[in-house]
Amino acid sequence: MSDSTDPYAPRANAAGTASTFIDYWDTFTNGDLAHDFTEAVDQARWGDDPEGGTLANKETAIQITDKVVDYDFARKLAAEYLYGDNPLVLDPYGPAGAIPVPGKYNEHGWVIFGWAPIEAFPKHEPRCAIPHAS
């Protein structure tokens, strides 16, 4: 599952029941974590492996730093938290970590990371409802 030459590659836990992820998400808001995390999970559920340990399996996030840092530093910090067994993000059913970074396409972005269970992610409602003509 992991490539030993890539320090950010996903890794499975010893039991094979959880996996790491480090994702980048651009946002269209002022950087509000609750809103942006909800949007990121929604988008991940449309594109992620439905039975992988990914962002799509997470329900909450905790902001690691208030300071906006550059993308490369955020990825290194995320890896330190993940592979240093930091208790803030160690639980596959607990919160993801989130680090604010400059957006690539918008003003704000996030590096979101954590351990996530390797199981089908929760069902969710469609992203938008299209009313039927009467």
Side-chain angles (χ1 to χ4, degrees), residues 15-102:
T17 59
S19 179
T20 62
F21 66 90
I22 301 176
D23 291 344
Y24 169 81
W25 294 92
D26 257 342
T27 65
F28 292 96
T29 69
N30 63 2
D32 174 66
L33 178 58
H35 177 273
D36 297 346
F37 178 75
T38 300
E39 291 292 317
V41 169
D42 185 54
Q43 291 177 34
R45 288 182 178 172
W46 284 87
D48 278 0
D49 173 3
E51 295 186 13
T54 69
L55 174 63
N57 294 77
K58 299 305 261 184
E59 295 183 11
T60 60
I62 184 169
Q63 190 165 336
I64 301 301
T65 176
D66 289 332
K67 183 179 178 184
V68 176
V69 298
D70 72 55
Y71 174 76
D72 291 335
F73 179 80
R75 298 246 323 158
K76 288 176 187 171
L77 183 58
E80 287 176 17
Y81 270 73
L82 286 174
Y83 307 130
D85 293 331
N86 189 296
L88 286 176
V89 297
L90 189 57
D91 182 358
Y93 295 95
I99 303 170
V101 296

